[in-house]
């Protein structure tokens, strides 16, 4: 037999942890000296200890661990618990990876402070353009809130365009505005240039409503800003074809790479605007010039509406 100290060393755990497992009934010592109270363990108990530690590291509660190691949980239920935990860990890993990307972008923004952008900033007018769009609401303008909303919006937008027989004629255009409900929430517009007429003769038939992680903003198909008649509205009211207004003056800059890393480019543009006696009058539009499968090869033009300060 091993003393509690020896068993702790062999099991690579603390004595304190073994005492806690004894107190909770999760791992009782094989023998307790009635006179001294010293705990003793056998080599065979290392197997139970290994299972306890492995399950605890997977995030199971001590009660769940006890049920599993005491075989109160059947094989199918255990497999289900492990699959669920695996999914939770994968989600947590993806979230951690996304946060790491944002931290790296923030660090690059900090490192570029005090430097004017090496990218070419161009002041230009942006003409009006006809687009098809879907909209949804994000919790904030932070990348971790925008990304999970705009991705599914574009997936659904292109699915609906295909169902309607409408072919995009230009790049995707993402743009943003403060949501009517306030609280820092943002209305996200996922749009793409089209040549379709504003008025249609029949509603668009869709097989299922849009599913995103944020509630949809109600929208109506418009003609010159006026709601169309009932017979010409789309089925669920979230798909619109409209003319996106022109921008009299916009400060523009090209970002190369994933939009997850856009922050340094955004802030470089902001510094240029401030240094050149302009002020921004709204959120930037994002024009998707090139969107290959590898997101690191994306090319996006940012168009921030500005006026002279």
């Amino acid at each position: 037999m091993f003393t509690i100290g020896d068993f702790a060393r062999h099991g690579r755990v603390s004595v304190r942890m073994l005492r806690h497992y004894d107190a909770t009934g999760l791992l009782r010592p094989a023998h307790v000296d009635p006179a001294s109270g010293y705990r003793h363990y056998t080599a065979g108990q290392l197997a139970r200890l290994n299972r306890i530690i492995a399950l605890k590291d997977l995030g199971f509660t001590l009660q769940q661990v006890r049920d599993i190691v005491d075989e109160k949980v059947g094989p199918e239920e255990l497999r289900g618990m492990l699959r669920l935990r695996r999914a939770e860990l994968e989600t947590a890993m993806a979230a951690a990876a996304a946060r790491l990307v944002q931290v790296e972008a923030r660090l690059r923004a900090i490192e570029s402070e005090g430097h004017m952008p090496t990218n070419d900033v161009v002041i230009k007018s942006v003409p009006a353009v006809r687009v098809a769009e879907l909209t949804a609401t994000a919790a904030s303008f932070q990348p971790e809130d925008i990304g999970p909303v705009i991705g599914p919006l574009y997936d659904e937008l292109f699915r609906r365009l295909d169902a309607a027989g409408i072919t995009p004629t230009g790049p995707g255009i993402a743009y943003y505005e403060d949501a009517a409900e306030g609280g820092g929430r943002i209305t996200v517009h996922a749009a793409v240039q089209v040549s379709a007429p504003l008025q249609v003769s029949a509603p668009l038939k869709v097989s299922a409503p849009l599913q995103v992680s944020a509630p949809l903003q109600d929208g109506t198909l418009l003609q010159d800003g006026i709601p169309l008649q009932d017979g010409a509205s789309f089925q669920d009211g979230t798909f619109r074809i409209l003319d996106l207004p022109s921008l009299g003056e916009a400060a523009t800059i090209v970002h190369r790479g994933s939009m997850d890393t856009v922050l340094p480019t955004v802030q470089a543009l902001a510094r240029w605007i401030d240094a050149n006696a302009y002020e921004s009058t709204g959120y930037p539009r994002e024009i998707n010039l090139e969107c290959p499968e590898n997101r690191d090869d994306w090319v996006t033009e940012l168009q921030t509406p500005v006026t002279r300060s």
Side-chain angles (χ1 to χ4, degrees):
M1 284 194 176
F2 302 114
T3 65
I4 190 171
D6 288 338
F7 189 72
R9 283 191 293 274
H10 290 306
R12 301 298 175 91
V13 296
S14 67
V15 170
R16 179 182 178 184
M17 183 179 291
L18 290 176
R19 288 173 177 158
H20 178 63
Y21 290 164
D22 180 16
T24 58
L26 192 56
L27 180 59
R28 300 285 193 190
H31 173 73
V32 178
D33 189 290
S36 65
Y38 290 165
R39 300 171 176 88
H40 293 83
Y41 297 81
T42 66
Q45 289 181 286
L46 287 171
R48 183 179 176 93
L49 176 63
N50 290 337
R51 286 164 174 74
I52 291 170
I53 299 301
L55 292 168
K56 189 169 72 71
D57 287 345
L58 282 172
F60 291 108
T61 66
L62 291 183
Q63 182 58 54
Q64 289 173 322
V65 170
R66 182 184 295 109
D67 290 343
I68 293 171
V69 297
D70 288 343
E71 298 183 348
K72 294 180 180 178
V73 173
E76 282 300 321
E77 186 178 355
L78 177 57
R79 279 192 288 270
M81 293 170 69
L82 291 173
R83 282 194 294 267
L84 176 60
R85 185 54 185 159
R86 180 180 62 187
E88 291 172 346
L89 289 172
E90 289 172 347
T91 300
M93 289 172 62
R99 284 196 298 272
L100 180 59
V101 170
Q102 295 306 319
V103 167
E104 291 173 346
R106 188 71 65 176
L107 284 173
R108 284 194 294 273
I110 292 171
E111 291 167 355
S112 65
E113 288 174 0
H115 301 282
M116 291 305 296
T118 55
N119 318 60
D120 289 330
V121 175
V122 177
I123 293 289
K124 65 182 180 182
S125 62
V126 177
V129 61
R130 182 160 299 176
V131 298
E133 72 167 35
L134 285 173
T135 60
T137 303
S140 77
F141 198 51
Q142 293 180 313
E144 56 266 32
D145 291 325
I146 296 296
V149 173
I150 198 166
L153 272 180
Y154 267 116
D155 291 342
E156 180 66 12
L157 173 64
F158 286 114
R159 190 187 68 78
R160 295 193 184 194
L161 287 173
D162 184 65
I166 300 174
T167 302
T169 57
I173 303 172
Y175 65 103
Y176 311 91
E177 59 186 338
D178 294 323
E181 59 265 38
R185 297 174 72 82
I186 297 294
T187 299
V188 179
H189 299 257
V192 66
Q193 187 174 343
V194 296
S195 60
L198 287 172
Q199 186 167 2
V200 294
S201 59
L204 171 67
K205 300 298 183 182
V206 295
S207 59
L210 175 62
Q211 298 293 327
V212 295
S213 58
L216 287 171
Q217 173 191 342
D218 289 337
T220 304
L221 185 67
L222 302 179
Q223 180 177 359
D224 298 327
I226 301 173
L228 295 177
Q229 300 300 316
D230 292 343
S233 63
F234 286 119
Q235 183 173 344
D236 65 358
T238 63
F239 181 103
R240 301 194 303 171
I241 296 176
L242 70 156
D243 287 333
L244 191 60
S246 62
L247 299 177
E249 277 192 307
T252 66
I253 192 172
V254 173
H255 171 71
R256 299 181 184 277
S258 167
M259 291 303 289
D260 292 334
T261 63
V262 75
L263 183 64
T265 307
V266 169
Q267 294 192 352
L269 180 58
R271 288 194 298 273
W272 187 96
I273 290 171
D274 183 64
N276 288 272
Y278 286 93
E279 60 182 49
S280 61
T281 59
Y283 292 96
R285 294 179 183 177
E286 299 165 359
I287 314 302
N288 306 317
L289 302 178
E290 297 179 23
C291 295
E293 185 175 349
N294 186 348
R295 293 165 61 92
D296 292 335
D297 294 331
W298 283 12
V299 179
T300 307
E301 183 180 69
L302 307 181
Q303 301 175 343
T304 298
V306 295
T307 186
R308 279 290 184 182
S309 55

